[in-house]
Each structure stands twice: as structure tokens, then as C-alpha cells.
Amino acid sequence: MAGAMRTRNQRLAPEVNRALYVRNLPFKITSEEMYDIFGKYGPIRQIRLGNAQDTRGTAFVVYEDIYDAKNALEHLSGFNVCGRYLVVLYYQQTRMQKKLDTAAKAEELKRKREELGLDDDEEDM
């Protein structure tokens, strides 16, 4: 009991939050299996499995308590599931937003180039 109180009183790093981003999952894993694996570390609010072609093998796991998420990350990073080692990270909204912004800007640039009739071959001249 004293150990549990000691961990509750410690300061957490700024990137620690209740949402975890999980990569390298087997494509055939089910939500029930995810609840079995991640539920051992505390009550889970939500699990979202990636089902699109570019998000398969990834998931978001949201815990009720930040300390449960921290404990799960510490214990499940590198955990072997069906021959695949899990990569568990804290979800960082700003980092994900930057990736989306970069992709959107690249798409806009491509559209503008087509609109103006510029090709990559013309840059070499």
C-alpha cells in the first residue's frame, strides 16, 4: 500500500497522459484480445483499432487513470504478441497534428504545381 501511495505522489513527465498509441500489432488482433492485454493494468475507457490500409497494426488505448497508462506503457513496450513486439508510446496530439499538417501542405503544393503546369522535370533546367 505504501508503494502505491509513493507512485501516486511522484511528478510525471509532461508527455505522460492517459492515451497510449500502440504500433506493430498483429493485423488479426481483436478488441477483446486488446482488452485482455491492456486491461491488466487498470480500467480502460476506450480502445480504437486501426482498420484502414494505412492504420492497420496500430491502436489507441485510453485509460481512466494516468498512472495506469504509465504502468501499462512501462510493462507492455516490447511485449511479444503473436511473434510481434509491441511499440507503446504516449499519444502526443501536437506531434500527430504536425504530421497531418505536413501531409496537407504537401498535397496543396502538389495541387498548385498541377494548376500552374509546373513539373518536377522543369526544375532540373
Side-chain angles (χ1 to χ4, degrees):
M1 185 66 114
M5 290 303 290
R6 206 175 304 131
T7 59
R8 297 283 178 179
N9 292 332
Q10 71 182 5
R11 285 191 61 93
L12 296 173
E15 71 271 5
V16 176
N17 62 50
R18 296 180 309 132
L20 301 178
Y21 176 62
V22 186
R23 294 188 340 213
N24 205 31
L25 286 165
F27 290 165
K28 302 284 186 189
I29 197 163
T30 64
S31 295
E32 291 79 23
E33 292 169 328
M34 290 289 291
Y35 276 100
D36 287 344
I37 294 168
F38 285 87
K40 294 176 183 174
Y41 299 98
I44 294 173
R45 179 171 287 187
Q46 182 180 50
I47 291 181
R48 290 283 183 119
L49 284 169
N51 56 7
Q53 184 65 28
D54 59 336
T55 61
R56 289 177 61 195
T58 64
F60 290 98
V61 180
V62 181
Y63 281 91
E64 294 287 338
D65 185 52
I66 194 168
Y67 292 98
D68 295 336
K70 182 179 184 297
N71 192 23
L73 180 127
E74 291 171 352
H75 287 92
L76 292 175
S77 285
F79 185 73
N80 190 337
V81 177
C82 298
R84 299 181 72 126
Y85 293 97
L86 298 183
V87 177
V88 184
L89 306 165
Y90 292 112
Y91 171 67
Q92 296 175 342
Q93 184 175 2
T94 55
R95 183 177 270 177
M96 294 291 190
Q97 189 62 43
K98 283 181 184 177
K99 284 184 183 179
L100 290 174
D101 289 346
T102 303
K105 286 184 188 245
E107 185 63 35
E108 182 181 348
L109 181 63
K110 180 182 175 187
R111 189 175 44 79
K112 289 281 188 188
R113 285 180 166 273
E114 289 173 356
E115 197 176 282
L116 296 172
L118 298 175
D119 291 332
D120 291 336
D121 298 336
E122 292 179 10
E123 289 179 7
D124 295 337
M125 290 184 182

